[in-house]
């Protein structure tokens, strides 16, 4: 009986912590919007963050885009060949990439490369009193640290998704046309016929949402590290907050992918 | 609190209480920090010095009480009011808290860039003047990772005074420094008080520094202020806690041998 009570208590404590963290993340979003609406407006910090989140993720996105496109081309070809419909290869690859895999894989890559760094950076700034120093200089950390990252995420993830989609389509093309001999015209024409504006729109909406979600969760886990158990653990706490941020961001991306897909 | 005292004091703290969950960290603190002088808050580790400093800076909301500073009650003020007051203070943190992605010069220029519309040239000149004051002019283009502990503290001080604040706060300025660098920093703090007329609050437990720089001392123990006075008054105090601190005596612990053994063995 006592172990059941302990279990319920720990479950309750876990739920309270999760709710607190969600509340803080939402509060951070409100603060960021508020700060963005008020002067001074500065472009350079956003460009700098876009370079970090976007430009420096480009190689990873190109490599993973080509690979995913090739794998899709291979799998779709094997399936379509059984039904004698290899001319649908272009349509299959394009719809899979533009609607689902492009935004999701790009967001997951950004989580792994940039999101973890954002959490670690903010966590270290918190434990070395750099955030306190900003506050004491009457500089809003939300404006100075968080807002540029969130805006950069909002803009970079859709741009990276477009790059991912583009190279993935060529990955599928390479496998389908050059390895398995699918007619070039049927690959591209099948794609053009199958993909509608609605598919592109859903892919774009997802990438915008993922961009904000990923940066916001990663910022929140690092920035509010001192309010969690990790806050008292120094370097180990930063490592733990970074792991949490990556896991939470990935789950948030996958879950919101389902939600947007279901609602659209 | 009399009106007369309020005009002479830069910071007035009344009945300040801070609880962390069930633990009381600060217990009914009352303190007047005089204008234009150096107040040192000293005490053993865990006495509550840093928590008191964080409350004064508005980084920690107290459970109850008031902190009047620059016309604002920091304990109850809104974030906007606290930010307004903070534009008139400077803080040098224990580890420097410099931004590692910036050069020393960029760190020092940051408050000017954020709060003024000065042109680039003026910002650079003002930054160099402050760097010169802390003997760091040659380090303007160095990255923070390239600085020694003493240099980081001096750079943090240059950043703290860049806006010519009315109040300057130091958290453990001499901690981790060699005696010569610590003495240099102490001299710098005194020079700042004399030349710029600042009110300076120093939180430290370095005895050599305390008696060199302090005009007034507040001694803390277990979340209470046990005594305040001039360095001479504190030195002459008959309070055994203060004498213990000044004579570097280890804390006396009254041990119930049986209870201690039970604690060590878990009751076996």
């Amino acid at each position: 009986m006592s172990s059941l009570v302990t279990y319920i208590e720990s479950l309750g404590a876990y739920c309270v912590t999760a709710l607190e963290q969600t509340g803080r993340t939402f509060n951070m979003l409100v603060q960021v919007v508020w700060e963005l609406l008020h002067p001074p407006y500065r472009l350079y910090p956003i460009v700098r963050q876009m370079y970090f989140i976007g430009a420096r993720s480009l190689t990873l996105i190109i490599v993973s885009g080509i690979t995913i496109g090739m794998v899709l081309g291979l799998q779709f070809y094997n399936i379509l060949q059984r039904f004698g419909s290899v001319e649908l290869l272009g349509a299959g690859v394009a719809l899979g990439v533009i609607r689902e895999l492009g935004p999701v894989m790009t967001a997951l890559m950004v989580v792994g490369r940039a999101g973890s760094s954002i959490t670690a950076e903010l966590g270290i700034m918190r434990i070395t009193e750099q955030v306190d120093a900003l506050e004491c200089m009457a500089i809003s950390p939300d404006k100075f640290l968080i807002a540029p990252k969130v805006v950069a995420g909002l803009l970079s993830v859709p741009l990276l998704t477009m790059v991912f989609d583009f190279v993935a389509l060529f990955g599928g093309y390479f496998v389908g046309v050059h390895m398995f001999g699918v007619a070039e015209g049927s690959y591209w024409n099948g794609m053009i016929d199958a993909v509608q504006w609605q598919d592109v729109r859903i892919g774009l909406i997802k990438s915008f949402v993922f961009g904000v979600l990923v940066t916001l969760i990663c910022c929140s886990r690092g920035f509010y590290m001192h309010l969690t158990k990790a806050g008292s653990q120094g370097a180990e706490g930063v490592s733990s907050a970074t792991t949490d941020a990556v896991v939470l961001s990935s789950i948030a991306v996958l879950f919101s992918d389902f939600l947007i897909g279901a609602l659209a | 609190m009399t009106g007369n005292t309020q005009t002479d004091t830069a910071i007035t703290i009344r009945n300040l209480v801070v609880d962390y969950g069930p633990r009381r960290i600060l217990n009914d603190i009352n303190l007047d920090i005089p204008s234009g002088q150096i107040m040192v808050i000293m005490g053993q580790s865990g006495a509550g010095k840093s928590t008191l400093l964080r409350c004064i800076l508005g980084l920690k909301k107290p459970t109850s009480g008031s902190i009047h500073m620059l016309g604002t009650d920091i304990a109850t003020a809104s974030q906007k009011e606290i930010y307004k007051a903070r534009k008139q203070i400077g803080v040098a943190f224990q580890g420097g808290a410099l931004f590692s992605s910036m050069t020393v010069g960029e760190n020092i220029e940051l408050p000017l860039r954020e709060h003024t519309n000065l042109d680039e040239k003026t910002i650079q000149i003002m930054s160099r003047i402050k760097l010169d004051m802390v003997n760091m002019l040659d380090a303007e283009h160095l990255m923070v990772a390239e600085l020694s502990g003493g240099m980081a503290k001096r750079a943090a001080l240059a950043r703290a005074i860049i806006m010519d604040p009315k109040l300057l706060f130091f958290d453990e300025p001499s901690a981790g420094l060699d005696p010569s660098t610590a003495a240099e920093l102490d001299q710098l703090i005194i020079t700042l008080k004399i030349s710029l007329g600042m009110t300076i609050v120093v939180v430290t437990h370095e005895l050599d520094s305390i008696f060199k720089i302090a005009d007034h001392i507040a001694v803390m123990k277990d979340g209470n202020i046990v005594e305040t006075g001039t360095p001479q008054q504190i030195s002459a105090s008959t309070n055994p806690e203060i004498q213990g601190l000044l004579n570097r005596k280890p804390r006396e612990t009254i041990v119930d041998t049986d209870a201690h053994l039970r604690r060590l063995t878990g009751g076996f």
Side-chain angles (χ1 to χ4, degrees):
Chain A
M1 185 63 188
S2 67
S3 63
L4 182 67
V5 171
T6 311
Y7 175 75
I8 292 170
E9 276 177 356
S10 58
L11 188 67
Y14 178 80
C15 289
V16 169
T17 308
L19 273 174
E20 278 175 355
Q21 285 170 358
T22 310
R24 279 187 213 120
T25 308
F26 184 73
N27 184 46
M28 181 178 264
L29 177 63
V30 174
Q31 288 288 331
V32 164
V33 173
W34 174 261
E35 295 290 357
L36 285 171
L37 292 174
H38 290 81
Y41 308 108
R42 299 221 169 101
L43 195 61
Y44 177 69
I46 295 172
V47 173
R48 196 160 166 246
Q49 288 301 322
M50 280 187 76
Y51 171 73
F52 174 68
I53 297 172
R56 288 182 63 185
S57 302
L58 212 51
T59 312
L60 178 67
I61 291 297
I62 289 171
V63 171
S64 55
I66 289 175
T67 315
I68 294 286
M70 288 169 74
V71 170
L72 269 183
L74 187 69
Q75 295 303 326
F76 268 119
Y77 180 82
N78 285 334
I79 294 165
L80 292 170
Q81 194 190 31
R82 289 183 210 165
F83 303 101
S85 312
V86 287
E87 68 278 4
L88 291 175
L89 182 66
V93 170
L95 286 174
V97 166
I98 292 170
R99 282 184 71 107
E100 291 296 332
L101 282 172
V104 171
M105 288 304 295
T106 304
L108 293 179
M109 294 293 159
V110 169
V111 168
R113 208 207 66 79
S116 51
S117 305
I118 288 172
T119 308
E121 180 194 344
L122 292 175
I124 288 168
M125 287 187 81
R126 176 62 77 181
I127 61 172
T128 55
E129 296 181 312
Q130 291 178 50
V131 176
D132 290 339
L134 270 180
E135 295 256 18
C136 289
M137 286 187 276
I139 298 171
S140 161
D142 288 317
K143 191 173 192 79
F144 188 79
L145 294 175
I146 312 295
K149 288 178 171 56
V150 175
V151 174
L154 176 77
L155 299 175
S156 300
V157 174
L159 289 172
L160 289 172
T161 302
M162 286 178 206
V163 174
F164 184 99
D165 290 354
F166 185 75
V167 295
L169 296 181
F170 274 94
Y173 164 82
F174 175 75
V175 169
V177 175
H178 292 284
M179 284 177 65
F180 295 120
V182 174
E184 192 172 346
S186 81
Y187 182 86
W188 293 118
N189 286 332
M191 188 183 295
I192 292 164
D193 290 343
V195 178
Q196 295 176 350
W197 170 239
Q198 168 77 353
D199 303 313
V200 178
R201 195 169 61 91
I202 289 174
L204 273 176
I205 290 170
K206 282 182 181 177
S207 61
F208 276 115
V209 172
F210 296 164
V212 174
L213 263 182
V214 164
T215 43
L216 208 56
I217 291 171
C218 292
C219 284
S220 166
R221 297 300 294 191
F223 189 76
Y224 293 121
M225 200 187 97
H226 63 303
L227 301 176
T228 65
K229 200 177 158 190
S232 57
Q233 295 170 339
E236 200 183 328
V238 175
S239 146
S240 156
T242 307
T243 307
D244 284 355
V246 170
V247 172
L248 273 174
S249 303
S250 304
I251 291 170
V253 164
L254 295 173
F255 187 68
S256 57
D257 180 48
F258 167 74
L259 271 185
I260 297 168
L263 293 171
Chain B
M1 199 67 221
T2 64
N4 184 38
T5 316
Q6 274 183 341
T7 54
D8 295 333
T9 56
I11 303 170
T12 308
I13 300 168
R14 289 290 172 268
N15 308 113
L16 191 74
V17 173
V18 172
D19 293 332
Y20 278 113
R23 283 174 60 217
R24 180 146 290 188
I25 307 298
L26 295 182
N27 184 26
D28 200 28
I29 299 284
N30 290 285
L31 183 65
D32 293 314
I33 297 178
S35 291
Q37 298 195 13
I38 299 175
M39 164 66 87
V40 173
I41 300 170
M42 66 177 284
Q44 292 169 326
S45 301
K49 308 184 295 289
S50 294
T51 304
L52 177 59
L53 182 65
R54 290 182 68 80
C55 287
I56 297 172
L57 297 173
L59 294 170
K60 168 84 188 150
K61 279 273 179 205
T63 309
S64 63
S66 66
I67 304 163
H68 286 278
M69 177 173 79
L70 301 163
T72 306
D73 182 1
I74 300 294
T76 55
S78 65
Q79 193 68 4
K80 198 177 171 184
E81 289 169 324
I82 291 176
Y83 268 41
K84 196 178 162 195
R86 281 179 184 156
K87 285 181 185 171
Q88 301 173 70
I89 69 168
V91 186
F93 285 89
Q94 186 174 350
L98 298 166
F99 304 114
S100 47
S101 58
M102 300 178 185
T103 63
V104 170
E106 286 166 347
N107 262 284
I108 291 157
E109 291 160 10
L110 183 65
L112 287 175
R113 291 190 196 288
E114 291 294 318
H115 298 308
T116 69
N117 294 317
L118 296 171
D119 61 90
E120 189 62 24
K121 196 76 197 162
T122 313
I123 287 176
Q124 280 183 6
I125 291 168
M126 287 180 74
S127 158
R128 281 176 195 151
I129 290 170
K130 302 302 180 190
L131 276 171
D132 193 32
M133 284 177 78
V134 297
N135 297 322
M136 288 273 292
L137 200 50
D138 295 335
E140 185 186 4
H141 300 292
L142 292 182
M143 294 304 289
V144 172
E146 297 174 88
L147 303 179
S148 67
M151 288 168 87
K153 282 183 190 260
R154 280 188 284 153
L157 173 55
R159 188 176 67 182
I161 58 173
I162 190 72
M163 298 285 285
D164 293 327
K166 291 179 182 166
L167 290 162
L168 189 56
F169 297 88
F170 288 89
D171 188 10
E172 304 282 3
S174 327
L177 298 182
D178 63 87
S180 163
T181 312
E184 269 180 43
L185 206 61
D186 291 341
Q187 191 52 51
L188 203 56
I189 293 171
I190 295 167
T191 309
L192 281 173
K193 184 196 80 168
I194 295 166
S195 58
L196 303 176
M198 290 174 184
T199 303
I200 298 175
V201 179
V202 182
V203 168
T204 185
H205 52 232
E206 301 281 335
L207 290 176
D208 293 341
S209 290
I210 291 168
F211 286 95
K212 190 174 170 190
I213 63 175
D215 293 314
H216 292 272
I217 298 172
V219 185
M220 290 190 71
K221 185 176 188 299
D222 298 335
N224 296 289
I225 289 187
V226 289
E227 197 147 336
T228 55
T230 61
Q232 293 75 24
Q233 287 169 331
I234 295 295
S235 295
S237 169
T238 52
N239 186 327
E241 297 291 351
I242 293 171
Q243 284 308 314
L245 261 177
L246 299 183
N247 297 321
R248 300 172 194 265
K249 282 186 185 165
R251 276 181 253 213
E252 277 186 31
T253 45
I254 301 160
V255 177
D256 175 344
T257 316
D258 289 343
H260 192 61
L261 270 176
R262 276 198 299 278
R263 197 174 165 200
L264 288 174
T265 57
F268 290 106

